[in-house]
Amino acid sequence: MSNVTLTIDGIEITVSKDKTILEAAKTAGVRIPTLCFHERMNPIGSCRMCVVEVEGFTQPMAACDTRVQDGISVTTNSGQLFRIRQDSLKLILVNHPLDCPVCDKGGECTLQDLVFEFGIDKVEYHAPKQDRLSEYATSLIRYWPDRCIMCLRCVTACREIKAIGAIDIRGDGYGSQVVSVHPDKCESCGECLMVCPTGALTENLSRYKGRPWISERVMTTCTYCGCGCQLELNVLNNSVIGVTTRDDAGVNRGSLCVKGRFGYEFIGSDERLTKPLIRKNGKFQEAGWDEALALVAGQLSKIKKESGPDAIAALSSARCTNEENYLFQKFIRAVIGTNNVDHCARL
Amino acid sequence: MAEAKTMTLNMGPHHPATHGVLRLVLELDGETIVKVTPHIGQLHRGIEKIAESMNYQQIIPLTDRLDYTAASLNNLGYCMTVEKLLGIDVPRRAQYVRVIMGELARIMGHHLWLGSHALDMGAMTVVFYTFRDREMIMNVNEELSGYRLTPSFLRVGGIARDITPDFVKYVREFVKWLPKALDGYHTLLTDNIIWRKRTMGVGTVSARDAVNYGMTGPSLRGSGVAYDVRKALPYSSYDDFDFQVPVGENGDVYDRYLVRMEEFKQSIRIIDQAIENLPDGPVKVDNPLVSNPETDEVMQDISALIRRFKIQCEGPAVPEGEVYHSIEGSKGELGFYLVGDGTSKPYRMKIRSPCFILTSALPKLLVGHMIADVISIIGSIDIVLGEIDR
């Protein structure tokens, strides 16, 4: 691919021809404010926050979906651009509800950040209010049409990242709305939830449990399968109140499946087994680790001695690490002496 | 030849006349002091460190607890430092109200100093009168902010809300009353023969020594150096007001007493001018990144709601940089040094505490005097341990 040279805010930079102005600016270390743009998706170009001036063109252009050209000179910040961005934000705010105090996204909301950054102190425009109630998109995801800014990140993520296309826009103009067009296809993976820049899509499990800045975020590996997805457990008062992801972390780069994103309640569940149980006289009774391990070892030795190693079969869990599973099959094959070993992920 | 023997005496930290938890280790030759070692830190709360984990607005109540006898002045010093970092000017009405609150706080501090200074030396009557009048300022604070001792009424970018008609009424009453009360204080002490004998020629410090030790405020001016930050580097509209900087001649306890007594009068003059010429207008800076929007706006406008959310939950947007600003506190030059790292919390806050520096001059003031003079000298430099230990 051939390279082109352009100037961004006086900085000369050479990038490959297929880059957009936004990508070139990032390489040059120039920040262009964005709202609908997401690195893992194709440019959407709905929010007009990334407008830049290109010398020789009268109209400002969206940096996220304009390709670089050789020799162009780009200005990313000027009085006019600042006002255009302010106005774009004001138009987004026209029908935004006064929900920040009760919105789960408050504090990590891109819209809030931009409104504060651009110092918007009043919205002069008014629009007829649309009374749209929040509805459950699925039992795990809630959709708040009022808070939606129609950036279309969720629709794009569902189509491009997950290749499902369960949601799409219906209606047109001011009345358009994101709806579930193929509810049967939706797996509640929460990809839409994760990319939503505002609180239009929220998680049902961790509603009202804590503001983002009071919970601690602990980066860890998902325990469900061997993929090794990276996720952040949101911890408040030593209990997990939610799962978030970071776009730059791990093989999953921010994506999770329904189990990883929503299946964290077992961690603090009362029904969780924390002590070994031994069945005595048909009833489970709590036992110490020494007693339980001695029983298992004794019984395994006994069976192996009486009926041979092939009388024993072993099933391991996908929720163990690779190393643990390796040791487990080694133990079954080398110590017990049978090949009757399997793993729940193969079932 | 008999061996020279000295006795070591611990004074404090629970001595009632060391103005807080100050411990002085005195080495005595008979009753004469030959060596003094101040031990501080018993009141350390780590205010400077705590400030690093709080946003710029949240730190204001911490500053009240420095020199708690004159809380609003600490607010003023801190808020002006942050405003310097932000590069904003507060509206004139807010500046005037800040001056009124600051001068009231100064008087409050001097009231506590005068009452306890005299009480420490056995003149018990004075404290009843000064505390009676101090109560009037407490009422003003309560009317304005709901808090009597630590109003925390100032904000980065102005004051919390506009003043009330009752505030003006109370302040006017106080301005009218204090000169009469002041005459009463003078009757009790100024020409009192015991008072004069206990204070004149005691704890003398020359102008040169005072400057070299970094002493500021009334303790410096008692030695004849007319240095007052309000005059030298006027801030918060102080150049609008007509007032004098009283100075002493001898630099002893009595002169420092006279300087503070005159400062009561000058503060009243400033308050009088400020309350009578109070300009109209807003009391908060018109900057969406710093000032909280009004509640009416918040209830109707989403952008105002978002601003309030961000300012309350994350703090105002303060740029990177380092800045120092000082004001004339009631004890001396109170300075704040702030390093901003572009977040809403300071990277470092350092307080230049006038009392800390005055304490370091204590050995100079005390050596050679009798043990009974310790009380009179500590009282005369008017230290507050809340500010020394921070």
Side-chain angles (χ1 to χ4, degrees):
Chain A
M1 190 62 70
S2 57
N3 287 343
V4 294
T5 304
L6 70 160
T7 321
I8 297 174
D9 285 350
I11 302 168
E12 204 177 270
I13 183 160
T14 306
V15 290
S16 104
K17 207 171 79 178
D18 61 340
K19 296 281 183 199
T20 62
I21 294 177
L22 187 66
E23 285 165 332
K26 201 180 169 193
T27 320
V30 176
R31 175 181 171 260
I32 298 173
T34 54
L35 179 55
C36 67
F37 177 77
H38 195 281
E39 275 191 351
R40 302 181 63 205
M41 300 178 227
N42 287 322
I44 304 164
S46 67
C47 73
R48 316 313 287 178
M49 285 304 296
C50 63
V51 282
V52 291
E53 283 165 357
V54 182
E55 211 172 88
F57 294 85
T58 45
Q59 295 285 327
M61 300 184 174
C64 68
D65 62 356
T66 309
R67 289 276 156 87
V68 291
Q69 277 178 28
D70 202 25
I72 56 170
S73 171
V74 180
T75 311
T76 66
N77 220 335
S78 72
Q80 196 200 355
L81 289 175
F82 191 80
R83 280 191 300 279
I84 291 174
R85 287 169 187 159
Q86 270 193 329
D87 270 358
S88 305
L89 281 172
K90 283 179 186 173
L91 289 171
I92 288 171
L93 290 179
V94 154
N95 60 351
H96 204 77
L98 299 169
D99 269 0
C100 298
V102 293
C103 177
D104 274 327
K105 199 80 174 181
E108 53 175 359
C109 171
T110 319
L111 184 63
Q112 274 187 337
D113 293 347
L114 286 170
V115 166
F116 194 60
E117 181 187 335
F118 284 89
I120 293 169
D121 52 355
K122 194 157 178 53
V123 178
E124 299 92 351
Y125 314 123
H126 296 281
K129 193 166 161 39
Q130 304 190 43
D131 236 357
R132 296 184 293 195
L133 291 174
S134 80
E135 57 190 59
Y136 292 92
T138 74
S139 58
L140 296 168
I141 303 168
R142 191 170 193 161
Y143 177 52
W144 307 75
D146 271 5
R147 295 179 188 166
C148 181
I149 59 169
M150 297 304 282
C151 68
L152 307 189
R153 266 189 180 187
C154 52
V155 174
T156 318
C158 195
R159 196 174 54 228
E160 290 181 5
I161 299 178
K162 291 287 174 164
I164 292 171
I167 48 177
D168 209 341
I169 321 169
R170 283 288 173 270
D172 43 31
Y174 184 57
S176 53
Q177 195 171 338
V178 175
V179 290
S180 180
V181 285
H182 295 295
D184 50 321
K185 282 189 185 172
C186 177
E187 295 167 352
S188 280
C189 67
E191 193 71 31
C192 50
L193 184 99
M194 204 254 325
V195 295
C196 183
T198 68
L201 287 162
T202 62
E203 188 188 325
N204 253 337
L205 294 178
S206 63
R207 270 195 303 151
Y208 315 131
K209 280 189 183 157
R211 287 288 187 200
W213 63 87
I214 59 170
S215 61
E216 193 189 345
R217 305 220 156 162
V218 184
M219 185 62 98
T220 185
T221 310
C222 179
T223 57
Y224 275 103
C225 74
C227 286
C229 293
Q230 293 295 301
L231 48 81
E232 287 175 322
L233 294 178
N234 300 5
V235 182
L236 180 68
N237 297 333
N238 215 19
S239 64
V240 176
I241 59 163
V243 170
T244 49
T245 47
R246 287 223 315 255
D247 290 344
D248 56 348
V251 285
N252 53 324
R253 292 188 64 203
S255 291
L256 286 177
C257 69
V258 59
K259 288 191 286 182
R261 189 175 301 281
F262 298 104
Y264 58 84
E265 283 185 319
F266 74 91
I267 299 169
S269 171
D270 292 340
E271 292 168 25
R272 196 171 159 185
L273 204 57
T274 53
K275 281 180 185 151
L277 302 177
I278 294 175
R279 197 194 294 272
K280 285 177 186 162
N281 305 327
K283 269 186 187 170
F284 278 121
Q285 279 172 2
E286 273 187 17
W289 280 107
D290 287 346
E291 188 190 351
L293 289 173
L295 179 73
V296 172
Q299 292 291 341
L300 284 176
S301 310
K302 195 177 148 206
I303 294 167
K304 186 181 166 187
K305 209 170 172 184
E306 288 174 358
S307 320
D310 281 339
I312 298 170
L315 185 68
S316 176
S317 165
R319 301 185 53 183
C320 302
T321 61
N322 276 345
E323 291 79 0
E324 284 164 346
N325 277 323
Y326 172 78
L327 283 175
F328 185 75
Q329 65 84 26
K330 196 83 180 164
F331 170 76
I332 297 300
R333 288 189 219 272
V335 180
I336 305 282
T338 174
N339 285 327
N340 296 340
V341 58
D342 213 334
H343 182 281
C344 76
R346 254 171 40 99
L347 289 179
Chain B
M1 209 175 83
E3 204 183 329
K5 263 194 160 176
T6 57
M7 188 180 98
T8 305
L9 182 75
N10 263 300
M11 190 168 171
H14 300 300
H15 193 285
T18 50
H19 287 216
V21 276
L22 172 67
R23 173 174 164 228
L24 294 175
V25 178
L26 305 171
E27 218 170 295
L28 300 171
D29 178 10
E31 274 199 64
T32 312
I33 298 157
V34 291
K35 196 181 167 208
V36 183
T37 318
H39 287 250
I40 57 169
Q42 278 97 341
L43 207 59
H44 180 72
R45 290 143 295 164
I47 284 181
E48 287 175 0
K49 190 70 193 169
I50 298 171
E52 288 168 18
S53 61
M54 289 177 137
N55 78 43
Y56 286 93
Q57 295 282 24
Q58 287 174 322
I59 294 166
I60 296 169
L62 290 182
T63 65
D64 280 277
R65 275 107 187 131
L66 294 169
D67 170 9
Y68 44 83
T69 66
S72 291
L73 280 170
N74 307 331
N75 293 168
L76 179 61
Y78 169 74
C79 289
M80 291 201 72
T81 314
V82 182
E83 282 150 15
K84 199 170 175 180
L85 188 55
L86 283 159
I88 53 175
D89 283 322
V90 298
R92 292 226 321 145
R93 186 178 174 82
Q95 291 188 11
Y96 272 53
V97 176
R98 283 170 165 204
V99 166
I100 295 170
M101 293 211 62
E103 293 303 319
L104 284 173
R106 189 187 313 280
I107 294 175
M108 217 160 118
H110 283 6
H111 266 143
L112 189 103
W113 155 79
L114 180 60
S116 54
H117 187 27
L119 183 69
D120 291 347
M121 286 203 279
M124 200 175 189
T125 323
V126 189
V127 73
F128 299 124
Y129 292 102
T130 58
F131 270 57
R132 173 197 63 190
D133 301 335
R134 193 166 166 263
E135 194 68 16
M136 292 176 78
I137 306 176
M138 300 263 225
N139 287 339
V140 174
N141 284 346
E142 190 179 357
E143 162 61 29
L144 203 54
S145 67
Y147 288 88
R148 291 162 62 76
L149 189 71
T150 51
S152 293
F153 191 67
L154 272 60
R155 294 285 181 279
V156 174
I159 52 176
R161 60 182 160 274
D162 208 352
I163 53 168
T164 60
D166 272 356
F167 169 78
V168 179
K169 199 181 98 192
Y170 288 157
V171 171
R172 283 199 176 124
E173 276 171 18
F174 182 72
V175 168
K176 235 168 133 183
W177 165 250
L178 193 75
K180 285 183 223 159
L182 210 52
D183 290 343
Y185 309 157
H186 273 296
T187 330
L188 291 168
L189 291 175
T190 309
D191 292 326
N192 182 323
I193 189 74
I194 307 171
W195 181 257
R196 290 174 81 113
K197 286 206 161 175
R198 293 278 321 258
T199 57
M200 282 175 139
V202 173
T204 311
V205 57
S206 68
R208 192 186 166 78
D209 281 342
V211 172
N212 283 348
Y213 271 91
M215 291 166 74
T216 46
S219 308
L220 172 70
R221 294 192 284 271
S223 300
V225 183
Y227 173 70
D228 186 318
V229 187
R230 289 174 295 176
K231 282 277 190 205
L233 306 154
Y235 54 87
S236 197
S237 295
Y238 265 109
D239 39 5
D240 289 4
F241 308 116
D242 179 28
F243 66 101
Q244 277 140 22
V245 178
V247 287
E249 284 168 19
N250 307 320
D252 57 6
V253 174
Y254 189 68
D255 275 17
R256 293 197 275 275
Y257 158 77
L258 284 183
V259 165
R260 288 203 181 85
M261 292 300 274
E262 184 57 27
E263 281 195 7
F264 274 113
K265 254 188 214 165
Q266 299 302 331
S267 289
I268 280 294
R269 271 179 75 186
I270 296 170
I271 296 171
D272 191 26
Q273 292 168 52
I275 199 93
E276 297 310 328
N277 303 317
L278 199 62
D280 288 328
V283 293
K284 278 180 214 162
V285 67
D286 182 23
N287 183 335
L289 300 183
V290 177
S291 293
N292 255 330
E294 297 297 328
T295 308
D296 292 355
E297 275 180 74
V298 171
M299 295 296 176
Q300 287 167 18
D301 192 332
I302 177 68
S303 66
L305 180 71
I306 289 176
R307 269 167 55 214
R308 167 122 108 190
F309 189 98
K310 294 292 273 187
I311 292 172
Q312 287 297 326
C313 298
E314 285 170 24
V318 176
E320 223 172 297
E322 59 184 302
V323 71
Y324 175 80
H325 184 75
S326 65
I327 62 152
E328 186 68 24
S330 79
K331 317 288 183 264
E333 183 175 335
L334 172 69
F336 285 87
Y337 168 73
L338 278 174
V339 182
D341 57 358
T343 65
S344 54
K345 290 167 184 165
Y347 176 75
R348 174 81 168 99
M349 178 171 90
K350 168 84 178 76
I351 300 156
R352 190 246 183 234
S353 153
C355 296
F356 178 78
I357 290 154
L358 289 171
T359 312
S360 70
L362 258 184
K364 170 78 190 160
L365 291 164
L366 285 175
V367 169
H369 284 290
M370 308 286 270
I371 187 162
D373 294 329
V374 174
I375 303 302
S376 123
I377 291 169
I378 291 180
S380 80
I381 59 168
D382 191 16
I383 49 173
V384 169
L385 272 293
E387 191 183 273
I388 294 172
D389 292 341
R390 305 196 275 282

